[in-house]
């Protein structure tokens, strides 16, 4: 088997393939055009998010047997075309689910306790105690949308906080357990004090959190998004923050990211309006970006692929 790496990843992935006798060509700086020109030589391709494996690329991949995505989201792969061509698709969400769960907890605590704001003020010599009084999450109802690897990890890490956890997943059923109650989306909107997003980016979830969704919520809530930026319609979130329908937001992702997630593709006025809110925390798509997850993402992906081909 001859494998093409078109993005950087932990060395353990390449090592495991080579131990199985596979040839690995590691070109982390390759571009889309060059990938198309050589993909016909390869049995497998390893990607992250830089290069889209679209219908055009797949039409040139005459020998391709598998696509491996180092990470969770599969939106950079035309999975329908791949399936039609008999190309297996793999990802490794198990590798960074703990990192995402922990990051979501950290953002929530920072938001409700104003840690980010107080830290900045104290470093400037500003000592404001009453203005930075926090809010406890104990007793609050936290609604999780999407109960896969990331959503369930977040729920698991909330267990010790004595909160009420409810969860909705359109494609999963009977996942309720002793600490998570399975609900409908309407029930989640009626009950949640905090809503956390853990869904993939699809046609169904694009701008899922918009004005109609927010207006349908029974009470003002805090929003956490560690999923994908375009799941939230930024301008509608801004209006909701202005109106007090959303009490605060912790966003690891925003809709203005490039598809590679490495930088923002634009800086529209809406971005600066969002960033101006003191009750909004922004991080640069790093929820799943830990030293530990870098290893686990690669190792788990390698094991899945090798097991599939009985290596």
């Amino acid at each position: 088997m001859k494998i093409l790496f078109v993005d950087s990843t932990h060395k353990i992935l390449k090592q495991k393939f080579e131990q199985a006798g596979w040839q690995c060509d590691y070109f982390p700086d390759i571009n889309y055009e060059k990938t198309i020109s050589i993909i016909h030589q390869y049995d497998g391709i390893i990607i992250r998010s830089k290069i889209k494996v679209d219908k055009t690329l797949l039409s040139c991949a005459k020998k391709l047997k598998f696509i491996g995505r180092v990470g969770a989201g599969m939106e950079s792969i035309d999975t329908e075309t791949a399936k039609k061509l008999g190309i297996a698709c793999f990802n490794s969400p198990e590798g960074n689910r703990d990192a995402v769960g922990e990051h979501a907890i950290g953002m929530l605590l920072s938001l409700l306790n104003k840690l980010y704001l107080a830290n900045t003020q104290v470093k400037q010599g500003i000592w404001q105690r009453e203005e930075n009084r926090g809010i406890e999450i104990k007793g609050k109802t936290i609604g999780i949308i999407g109960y896969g690897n990331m959503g369930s990890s977040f729920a698991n890490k909330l267990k010790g906080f004595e909160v009420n956890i409810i969860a909705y997943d359109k494609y999963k059923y009977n996942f309720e357990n002793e600490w998570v109650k399975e609900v409908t989306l309407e029930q989640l909107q009626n009950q949640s004090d905090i809503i956390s997003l853990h869904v993939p980016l699809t046609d169904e979830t694009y701008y899922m959190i918009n004005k109609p969704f927010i207006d349908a919520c029974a009470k003002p809530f805090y929003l956490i998004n560690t999923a994908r930026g375009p799941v939230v319609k930024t301008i509608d979130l801004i209006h909701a923050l202005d109106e007090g329908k959303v009490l605060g937001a912790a966003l690891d992702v925003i809709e203005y990211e490039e598809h590679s997630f490495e930088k923002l593709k634009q800086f529209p006025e809406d971005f600066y309006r969002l960033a101006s809110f003191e009750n909004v925390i922004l991080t640069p798509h790093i929820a799943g970006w830990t030293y530990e997850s870098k290893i686990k993402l690669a190792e788990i992906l390698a094991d899945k692929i090798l097991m599939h081909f009985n290596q």
Side-chain angles (χ1 to χ4, degrees), residues 83-101:
K83 184 177 180 180
K84 290 176 183 176
L85 294 173
I87 301 169
C89 296
F90 302 91
N91 63 344
S92 51
E94 304 89 345
N96 64 350
R97 61 188 175 190
D98 288 321
V100 171

Side-chain angles (χ1 to χ4, degrees), residues 92 94-96 98-99 290-301:
S92 51
E94 304 89 345
N96 64 350
D98 288 321
T290 62
Y291 290 102
E292 293 86 354
S293 71
K294 184 175 183 180
I295 299 170
K296 290 187 287 185
L297 285 167
E299 187 170 33
I300 289 169
L301 182 62

Side-chain angles (χ1 to χ4, degrees), residues 206-211 214 229-239 255-256:
Y206 190 91
Y207 281 172
M208 179 183 189
I209 308 303
N210 55 15
K211 187 178 188 303
I214 295 168
V231 173
V232 176
K233 189 173 184 180
T234 305
I235 188 61
D236 288 0
L237 173 59
I238 290 170
H239 291 324
E255 65 173 299
Y256 309 118

Side-chain angles (χ1 to χ4, degrees), residues 121-122 125-129 131-132:
Q121 290 175 349
V122 173
I126 301 169
W127 193 265
Q128 295 184 332
R129 297 183 67 227
E131 292 83 351
N132 288 306

Side-chain angles (χ1 to χ4, degrees), residues 178-197:
E178 64 271 23
W179 66 84
V180 177
K181 182 180 179 181
E182 185 177 345
V183 296
T184 66
L185 183 60
E186 183 179 12
Q187 288 172 322
L188 185 142
Q189 289 173 296
N190 285 335
Q191 300 174 31
S192 297
D193 300 298
I194 298 157
I195 295 177
S196 187
L197 306 175

Side-chain angles (χ1 to χ4, degrees), residues 25-307:
D25 291 346
Y26 189 73
F27 301 134
D29 298 319
I30 196 171
N31 60 25
Y32 175 81
E33 290 73 21
K34 181 63 177 177
T35 301
I36 284 183
S37 71
I38 64 173
I39 191 63
H40 65 278
Q41 305 173 31
Y42 293 93
D43 302 291
I45 183 171
I46 298 297
I47 69 167
R48 275 185 27 226
S49 53
K50 182 182 69 176
I51 290 178
K52 289 188 175 182
V53 183
D54 55 18
K55 189 173 294 186
T56 300
L57 192 150
L58 288 170
S59 69
C60 300
K62 304 302 182 185
K63 296 174 57 180
L64 204 63
K65 296 180 178 65
F66 76 84
I67 302 162
R69 161 76 161 98
V70 185
M74 300 288 274
E75 68 270 17
S76 57
I77 302 171
D78 184 343
T79 52
E80 288 188 13
T81 298
K83 184 177 180 180
K84 290 176 183 176
L85 294 173
I87 301 169
C89 296
F90 302 91
N91 63 344
S92 51
E94 304 89 345
N96 64 350
R97 61 188 175 190
D98 288 321
V100 171
E102 290 184 14
H103 193 90
I105 292 282
M107 292 190 85
L108 176 59
L109 293 175
S110 181
L111 180 64
L112 267 60
N113 291 284
K114 301 184 181 179
L115 303 183
Y116 62 100
L117 185 60
N119 172 68
T120 300
Q121 290 175 349
V122 173
K123 287 184 176 181
Q124 295 172 349
I126 301 169
W127 193 265
Q128 295 184 332
R129 297 183 67 227
E130 183 58 36
E131 292 83 351
N132 288 306
R133 189 182 289 274
I135 297 170
E136 296 177 13
I137 63 173
K138 179 180 178 179
K140 303 292 190 298
T141 296
I142 300 182
I144 298 172
I145 300 180
Y147 202 73
N149 281 284
M150 309 305 167
S152 59
S153 174
F154 180 52
N156 187 53
K157 288 167 175 49
L158 283 168
K159 285 188 294 184
F161 285 93
E162 300 179 68
V163 295
N164 304 310
I165 307 172
I166 59 177
Y168 164 77
D169 192 308
K170 184 176 181 180
Y171 298 101
K172 290 187 72 174
Y173 306 95
N174 303 317
F175 57 79
E176 183 171 318
N177 54 42
E178 64 271 23
W179 66 84
V180 177
K181 182 180 179 181
E182 185 177 345
V183 296
T184 66
L185 183 60
E186 183 179 12
Q187 288 172 322
L188 185 142
Q189 289 173 296
N190 285 335
Q191 300 174 31
S192 297
D193 300 298
I194 298 157
I195 295 177
S196 187
L197 306 175
H198 301 276
V199 295
L201 180 61
T202 66
D203 291 340
E204 288 183 305
T205 62
Y206 190 91
Y207 281 172
M208 179 183 189
I209 308 303
N210 55 15
K211 187 178 188 303
F213 177 97
I214 295 168
D215 288 345
C217 292
K219 51 187 174 181
F221 63 94
Y222 291 90
L223 178 67
I224 308 169
N225 187 12
T226 55
R228 289 291 185 264
V231 173
V232 176
K233 189 173 184 180
T234 305
I235 188 61
D236 288 0
L237 173 59
I238 290 170
H239 291 324
L241 287 162
D242 276 330
E243 296 167 0
K245 293 179 178 178
V246 172
L247 301 173
L251 310 174
D252 180 56
V253 290
I254 57 173
E255 65 173 299
Y256 309 118
E257 297 174 67
E258 285 192 345
H259 75 266
S260 67
F261 313 135
E262 294 301 326
K263 59 182 179 180
L264 296 180
K265 61 185 175 183
Q266 53 181 319
F267 289 88
E269 180 183 348
D270 292 343
F271 170 77
Y272 292 106
R273 290 177 64 191
L274 180 68
S276 70
F277 285 94
E278 288 189 343
N279 56 340
V280 170
I281 299 176
L282 302 172
T283 54
H285 203 133
I286 56 171
W289 207 250
T290 62
Y291 290 102
E292 293 86 354
S293 71
K294 184 175 183 180
I295 299 170
K296 290 187 287 185
L297 285 167
E299 187 170 33
I300 289 169
L301 182 62
D303 290 344
K304 283 184 177 181
I305 295 170
L306 290 169
M307 184 177 298

